Amino acid sequence: MSIGNSNSPEDDQPSTAEERPDDGPSIGRTIQQARIAAGLTVDEVSSITRVRAPIVHGIEQDDFTRCGGDVYARGHIRTIARAVDLDPVPLVDAYDAAHGGRPAPTPAAPLFEAERIRPERQRPNWTAAMVAAIVAVIGFVGFTAFGGGEDNTKRPVAEGTASPKPASKPTGKVITPTPQPPKAPSPKPEPSDSAIAAAPKDLVTVVLTANDGESWISAKDSTGRTLFDGMVEQGDSKTFTDKESIDLVLGDAGAVQLFVNGKEIKDDFQSGQVERLTYTKDDQRQGQAQAG
């Protein structure tokens, strides 16, 4: 059983951006119409795209002064267009045509190639060589004079002089412990779907995991209280429970795996698809999304 969100996504007045009869709606008007068709409010688009709500309002009014420059304006147009299921390329092309076109890329400066400096051939330093030779000769003569006759001047060892005894060896035996082979870690059992999504029968339980990418998630209980509103990073999971119902808005339904009341939802959500869903404690299959 599925119930659409009762809140209207469009509470403000229609855009007063100028429409060109020859070229069709302007960039802002096109984005606003797509947002309304997707059942999203400006605040919801801001939460999905991380673009501040005043900037979203300005773009829908064809006012790009809040964007901070052409580069940021193009980026905001692309991000918002994808969130409302529009092709961003024609919109960016229209922005470039209306604002003087995309600036030509600056040609890369040629890489500086350092000139190879050939080292000058140095002349041999004969003075240093001579000094080194003299030092070597003096050293050799000194070594021969003071160290060469060392064997002939050694005095015989007096009789009766005890030679040093080698150090006694310890008599105790050293027991070396036998190394034990490391124990192989026991494989961890993989959790089953039923273990992951187990839920009590008297509550509605929704478990969602961002398996294929991050997604903006909004979850409310049956009283309208917000349980969660933000981004779920890839690999993270969230669990929501209530006595009556759970209302969900999935910013990227294709990236989310759903378990409702212990049953996995097998519907084929597309990547980037925005879904509004409601589940009760009697549901075991996905509800139908309704546009606001």
Side-chain angles (χ1 to χ4, degrees), residues 2 17-18 21 43 82 94 132 134 155 162 226 261 266:
S2 173
E18 180 181 357
D43 290 338
R82 293 191 184 100
I134 293 173
R155 296 181 179 180
T226 298
N261 299 333
K266 296 293 187 178

mmCIF file with all atom_site columns, all heavy atoms in Angstrom, residues 2 17-18 21 43 82 94 132 134 155 162 226 261 266:
data_model
loop_
_atom_site.group_PDB
_atom_site.id
_atom_site.type_symbol
_atom_site.label_atom_id
_atom_site.label_alt_id
_atom_site.label_comp_id
_atom_site.label_asym_id
_atom_site.label_entity_id
_atom_site.label_seq_id
_atom_site.pdbx_PDB_ins_code
_atom_site.Cartn_x
_atom_site.Cartn_y
_atom_site.Cartn_z
_atom_site.occupancy
_atom_site.B_iso_or_equiv
_atom_site.pdbx_formal_charge
_atom_site.auth_seq_id
_atom_site.auth_comp_id
_atom_site.auth_asym_id
_atom_site.auth_atom_id
_atom_site.pdbx_PDB_model_num
ATOM 1   N N   . SER A 1 2   ? 0.660   2.144   -0.845  1.00 0.00 ? 2   SER A N   1
ATOM 2   C CA  . SER A 1 2   ? 1.518   3.328   -0.947  1.00 0.00 ? 2   SER A CA  1
ATOM 3   C C   . SER A 1 2   ? 0.680   4.587   -0.996  1.00 0.00 ? 2   SER A C   1
ATOM 4   O O   . SER A 1 2   ? -0.367  4.645   -1.637  1.00 0.00 ? 2   SER A O   1
ATOM 5   C CB  . SER A 1 2   ? 2.374   3.236   -2.214  1.00 0.00 ? 2   SER A CB  1
ATOM 6   O OG  . SER A 1 2   ? 3.072   4.421   -2.397  1.00 0.00 ? 2   SER A OG  1
ATOM 7   N N   . ALA A 1 17  ? 10.072  34.831  -15.141 1.00 0.00 ? 17  ALA A N   1
ATOM 8   C CA  . ALA A 1 17  ? 11.174  34.965  -16.089 1.00 0.00 ? 17  ALA A CA  1
ATOM 9   C C   . ALA A 1 17  ? 10.625  35.117  -17.495 1.00 0.00 ? 17  ALA A C   1
ATOM 10  O O   . ALA A 1 17  ? 9.615   34.513  -17.885 1.00 0.00 ? 17  ALA A O   1
ATOM 11  C CB  . ALA A 1 17  ? 12.079  33.732  -16.017 1.00 0.00 ? 17  ALA A CB  1
ATOM 12  N N   . GLU A 1 18  ? 11.273  35.930  -18.275 1.00 0.00 ? 18  GLU A N   1
ATOM 13  C CA  . GLU A 1 18  ? 10.816  36.246  -19.626 1.00 0.00 ? 18  GLU A CA  1
ATOM 14  C C   . GLU A 1 18  ? 10.916  35.015  -20.515 1.00 0.00 ? 18  GLU A C   1
ATOM 15  O O   . GLU A 1 18  ? 11.941  34.311  -20.535 1.00 0.00 ? 18  GLU A O   1
ATOM 16  C CB  . GLU A 1 18  ? 11.688  37.355  -20.196 1.00 0.00 ? 18  GLU A CB  1
ATOM 17  C CG  . GLU A 1 18  ? 11.272  37.744  -21.618 1.00 0.00 ? 18  GLU A CG  1
ATOM 18  C CD  . GLU A 1 18  ? 12.170  38.831  -22.166 1.00 0.00 ? 18  GLU A CD  1
ATOM 19  O OE1 . GLU A 1 18  ? 13.034  39.291  -21.422 1.00 0.00 ? 18  GLU A OE1 1
ATOM 20  O OE2 . GLU A 1 18  ? 11.979  39.201  -23.333 1.00 0.00 ? 18  GLU A OE2 1
ATOM 21  N N   . PRO A 1 21  ? 9.344   33.820  -27.378 1.00 0.00 ? 21  PRO A N   1
ATOM 22  C CA  . PRO A 1 21  ? 8.401   33.078  -28.226 1.00 0.00 ? 21  PRO A CA  1
ATOM 23  C C   . PRO A 1 21  ? 9.108   32.359  -29.355 1.00 0.00 ? 21  PRO A C   1
ATOM 24  O O   . PRO A 1 21  ? 8.636   31.337  -29.829 1.00 0.00 ? 21  PRO A O   1
ATOM 25  C CB  . PRO A 1 21  ? 7.448   34.175  -28.733 1.00 0.00 ? 21  PRO A CB  1
ATOM 26  C CG  . PRO A 1 21  ? 8.204   35.459  -28.572 1.00 0.00 ? 21  PRO A CG  1
ATOM 27  C CD  . PRO A 1 21  ? 9.099   35.276  -27.403 1.00 0.00 ? 21  PRO A CD  1
ATOM 28  N N   . ASP A 1 43  ? 13.194  23.717  -1.773  1.00 0.00 ? 43  ASP A N   1
ATOM 29  C CA  . ASP A 1 43  ? 14.005  23.258  -0.642  1.00 0.00 ? 43  ASP A CA  1
ATOM 30  C C   . ASP A 1 43  ? 14.488  21.829  -0.849  1.00 0.00 ? 43  ASP A C   1
ATOM 31  O O   . ASP A 1 43  ? 15.612  21.475  -0.484  1.00 0.00 ? 43  ASP A O   1
ATOM 32  C CB  . ASP A 1 43  ? 13.200  23.346  0.656   1.00 0.00 ? 43  ASP A CB  1
ATOM 33  C CG  . ASP A 1 43  ? 12.961  24.796  1.089   1.00 0.00 ? 43  ASP A CG  1
ATOM 34  O OD1 . ASP A 1 43  ? 13.733  25.671  0.658   1.00 0.00 ? 43  ASP A OD1 1
ATOM 35  O OD2 . ASP A 1 43  ? 12.003  25.052  1.838   1.00 0.00 ? 43  ASP A OD2 1
ATOM 36  N N   . ARG A 1 82  ? 20.087  17.740  -13.610 1.00 0.00 ? 82  ARG A N   1
ATOM 37  C CA  . ARG A 1 82  ? 20.069  16.294  -13.372 1.00 0.00 ? 82  ARG A CA  1
ATOM 38  C C   . ARG A 1 82  ? 19.090  15.934  -12.264 1.00 0.00 ? 82  ARG A C   1
ATOM 39  O O   . ARG A 1 82  ? 18.453  14.875  -12.309 1.00 0.00 ? 82  ARG A O   1
ATOM 40  C CB  . ARG A 1 82  ? 21.474  15.819  -13.006 1.00 0.00 ? 82  ARG A CB  1
ATOM 41  C CG  . ARG A 1 82  ? 22.491  15.933  -14.144 1.00 0.00 ? 82  ARG A CG  1
ATOM 42  C CD  . ARG A 1 82  ? 23.799  15.207  -13.800 1.00 0.00 ? 82  ARG A CD  1
ATOM 43  N NE  . ARG A 1 82  ? 24.796  15.385  -14.841 1.00 0.00 ? 82  ARG A NE  1
ATOM 44  C CZ  . ARG A 1 82  ? 25.782  16.252  -14.768 1.00 0.00 ? 82  ARG A CZ  1
ATOM 45  N NH1 . ARG A 1 82  ? 25.916  17.026  -13.692 1.00 0.00 ? 82  ARG A NH1 1
ATOM 46  N NH2 . ARG A 1 82  ? 26.670  16.364  -15.745 1.00 0.00 ? 82  ARG A NH2 1
ATOM 47  N N   . ALA A 1 94  ? 22.632  27.066  -23.979 1.00 0.00 ? 94  ALA A N   1
ATOM 48  C CA  . ALA A 1 94  ? 21.828  28.280  -24.024 1.00 0.00 ? 94  ALA A CA  1
ATOM 49  C C   . ALA A 1 94  ? 22.424  29.354  -23.112 1.00 0.00 ? 94  ALA A C   1
ATOM 50  O O   . ALA A 1 94  ? 22.415  30.549  -23.446 1.00 0.00 ? 94  ALA A O   1
ATOM 51  C CB  . ALA A 1 94  ? 20.388  27.963  -23.600 1.00 0.00 ? 94  ALA A CB  1
ATOM 52  N N   . ALA A 1 132 ? 99.334  14.929  -1.968  1.00 0.00 ? 132 ALA A N   1
ATOM 53  C CA  . ALA A 1 132 ? 98.767  13.636  -1.590  1.00 0.00 ? 132 ALA A CA  1
ATOM 54  C C   . ALA A 1 132 ? 99.806  12.541  -1.672  1.00 0.00 ? 132 ALA A C   1
ATOM 55  O O   . ALA A 1 132 ? 99.871  11.636  -0.815  1.00 0.00 ? 132 ALA A O   1
ATOM 56  C CB  . ALA A 1 132 ? 97.583  13.308  -2.491  1.00 0.00 ? 132 ALA A CB  1
ATOM 57  N N   . ILE A 1 134 ? 103.087 12.897  -1.322  1.00 0.00 ? 134 ILE A N   1
ATOM 58  C CA  . ILE A 1 134 ? 104.048 13.055  -0.229  1.00 0.00 ? 134 ILE A CA  1
ATOM 59  C C   . ILE A 1 134 ? 103.470 12.539  1.079   1.00 0.00 ? 134 ILE A C   1
ATOM 60  O O   . ILE A 1 134 ? 104.136 11.861  1.865   1.00 0.00 ? 134 ILE A O   1
ATOM 61  C CB  . ILE A 1 134 ? 104.458 14.540  -0.109  1.00 0.00 ? 134 ILE A CB  1
ATOM 62  C CG1 . ILE A 1 134 ? 105.258 14.961  -1.361  1.00 0.00 ? 134 ILE A CG1 1
ATOM 63  C CG2 . ILE A 1 134 ? 105.268 14.770  1.142   1.00 0.00 ? 134 ILE A CG2 1
ATOM 64  C CD1 . ILE A 1 134 ? 105.554 16.440  -1.416  1.00 0.00 ? 134 ILE A CD1 1
ATOM 65  N N   . ARG A 1 155 ? 108.399 -9.718  23.429  1.00 0.00 ? 155 ARG A N   1
ATOM 66  C CA  . ARG A 1 155 ? 109.077 -10.488 24.463  1.00 0.00 ? 155 ARG A CA  1
ATOM 67  C C   . ARG A 1 155 ? 108.369 -11.812 24.647  1.00 0.00 ? 155 ARG A C   1
ATOM 68  O O   . ARG A 1 155 ? 107.161 -11.879 24.592  1.00 0.00 ? 155 ARG A O   1
ATOM 69  C CB  . ARG A 1 155 ? 109.100 -9.714  25.781  1.00 0.00 ? 155 ARG A CB  1
ATOM 70  C CG  . ARG A 1 155 ? 109.905 -8.432  25.705  1.00 0.00 ? 155 ARG A CG  1
ATOM 71  C CD  . ARG A 1 155 ? 109.885 -7.745  27.043  1.00 0.00 ? 155 ARG A CD  1
ATOM 72  N NE  . ARG A 1 155 ? 110.674 -6.519  26.986  1.00 0.00 ? 155 ARG A NE  1
ATOM 73  C CZ  . ARG A 1 155 ? 110.840 -5.700  28.015  1.00 0.00 ? 155 ARG A CZ  1
ATOM 74  N NH1 . ARG A 1 155 ? 110.240 -5.980  29.193  1.00 0.00 ? 155 ARG A NH1 1
ATOM 75  N NH2 . ARG A 1 155 ? 111.583 -4.606  27.895  1.00 0.00 ? 155 ARG A NH2 1
ATOM 76  N N   . ALA A 1 162 ? 99.994  -17.791 33.715  1.00 0.00 ? 162 ALA A N   1
ATOM 77  C CA  . ALA A 1 162 ? 98.761  -18.479 33.313  1.00 0.00 ? 162 ALA A CA  1
ATOM 78  C C   . ALA A 1 162 ? 98.087  -17.724 32.173  1.00 0.00 ? 162 ALA A C   1
ATOM 79  O O   . ALA A 1 162 ? 97.939  -16.509 32.232  1.00 0.00 ? 162 ALA A O   1
ATOM 80  C CB  . ALA A 1 162 ? 97.812  -18.594 34.507  1.00 0.00 ? 162 ALA A CB  1
ATOM 81  N N   . THR A 1 226 ? 10.175  14.422  11.390  1.00 0.00 ? 226 THR A N   1
ATOM 82  C CA  . THR A 1 226 ? 11.302  14.045  10.539  1.00 0.00 ? 226 THR A CA  1
ATOM 83  C C   . THR A 1 226 ? 12.236  13.117  11.312  1.00 0.00 ? 226 THR A C   1
ATOM 84  O O   . THR A 1 226 ? 12.751  13.472  12.375  1.00 0.00 ? 226 THR A O   1
ATOM 85  C CB  . THR A 1 226 ? 12.084  15.289  10.083  1.00 0.00 ? 226 THR A CB  1
ATOM 86  O OG1 . THR A 1 226 ? 11.210  16.120  9.305   1.00 0.00 ? 226 THR A OG1 1
ATOM 87  C CG2 . THR A 1 226 ? 13.279  14.895  9.221   1.00 0.00 ? 226 THR A CG2 1
ATOM 88  N N   . ASN A 1 261 ? 9.666   -4.417  6.367   1.00 0.00 ? 261 ASN A N   1
ATOM 89  C CA  . ASN A 1 261 ? 9.055   -5.454  7.199   1.00 0.00 ? 261 ASN A CA  1
ATOM 90  C C   . ASN A 1 261 ? 9.694   -6.817  6.933   1.00 0.00 ? 261 ASN A C   1
ATOM 91  O O   . ASN A 1 261 ? 9.015   -7.844  6.854   1.00 0.00 ? 261 ASN A O   1
ATOM 92  C CB  . ASN A 1 261 ? 7.545   -5.511  6.976   1.00 0.00 ? 261 ASN A CB  1
ATOM 93  C CG  . ASN A 1 261 ? 6.866   -4.210  7.347   1.00 0.00 ? 261 ASN A CG  1
ATOM 94  O OD1 . ASN A 1 261 ? 7.360   -3.472  8.193   1.00 0.00 ? 261 ASN A OD1 1
ATOM 95  N ND2 . ASN A 1 261 ? 5.757   -3.903  6.709   1.00 0.00 ? 261 ASN A ND2 1
ATOM 96  N N   . LYS A 1 266 ? 12.047  -5.410  -4.629  1.00 0.00 ? 266 LYS A N   1
ATOM 97  C CA  . LYS A 1 266 ? 12.742  -5.780  -5.856  1.00 0.00 ? 266 LYS A CA  1
ATOM 98  C C   . LYS A 1 266 ? 12.451  -4.855  -7.025  1.00 0.00 ? 266 LYS A C   1
ATOM 99  O O   . LYS A 1 266 ? 12.853  -5.141  -8.150  1.00 0.00 ? 266 LYS A O   1
ATOM 100 C CB  . LYS A 1 266 ? 12.349  -7.210  -6.246  1.00 0.00 ? 266 LYS A CB  1
ATOM 101 C CG  . LYS A 1 266 ? 12.780  -8.268  -5.237  1.00 0.00 ? 266 LYS A CG  1
ATOM 102 C CD  . LYS A 1 266 ? 14.288  -8.402  -5.175  1.00 0.00 ? 266 LYS A CD  1
ATOM 103 C CE  . LYS A 1 266 ? 14.698  -9.561  -4.294  1.00 0.00 ? 266 LYS A CE  1
ATOM 104 N NZ  . LYS A 1 266 ? 16.159  -9.739  -4.252  1.00 0.00 ? 266 LYS A NZ  1
#
